[in-house]
Amino acid sequence: KELHALLRAAGQSSHGLAKRNYALIQLMVQAGLRISEAAAVRMTDLTSHERSGSIRVCDAKGLKEREVPLNAAARRAINAYLSTSRSRAPDDYLFFTKRNQPASIRTLQDTIARLARKAHVKRIRVSAHTLRHTFAINYLKAHPGKLVELAALLGCESLDTVAVYTRPTQEILALDLE
């Protein structure tokens, strides 16, 4: 429910930023990138075809590189954003500000926080990490027990880091007791 409200708020952004903000939220929640990784994505890192796509994450923690697949929702959002923005050179960053400057980590964090306020999401504190966490939880719901695969997607070296996503939330525990 909160995610849909956040996406709706992103799609209603002003100053011509609706498609950028929608693409940002979709990328974060569908690919599980860290905010620093999303800010560092360049056009050369993107591969998008009709039925497949990926992002090469080069600025990951520990300076390791990984390839993160993009699902159809993320590809559509990114393609819609790119179709409305100026033409890009291969070395250009993916996300730009309304002043045509590469969007910084802080700008993207502020954008997510502003969208959460606009969407009236109060039950949880929405941040870039919350979106990454949502990706991990959704992945494990769809693919139970695939911690090694999730660790690879998230760029985590240790399974202990990923194991945090297997802990049940209060909501899940309450539903189990009904």
Side-chain angles (χ1 to χ4, degrees), residues 166-178:
T166 64
R167 291 195 194 120
T169 64
Q170 289 295 353
E171 284 178 8
I172 291 171
L173 291 173
L175 284 173
D176 288 348
L177 293 175
E178 287 181 357

Side-chain angles (χ1 to χ4, degrees), residues 10 12 21 37 48 60-61 94 100 111-113 124 128 131 140 173:
Q12 296 168 351
N21 292 347
E37 295 168 346
S48 185
K61 235 179 184 179
L94 174 61
N100 244 358
T111 298
I112 292 168
I124 55 171
L131 300 176
L140 286 176
L173 291 173

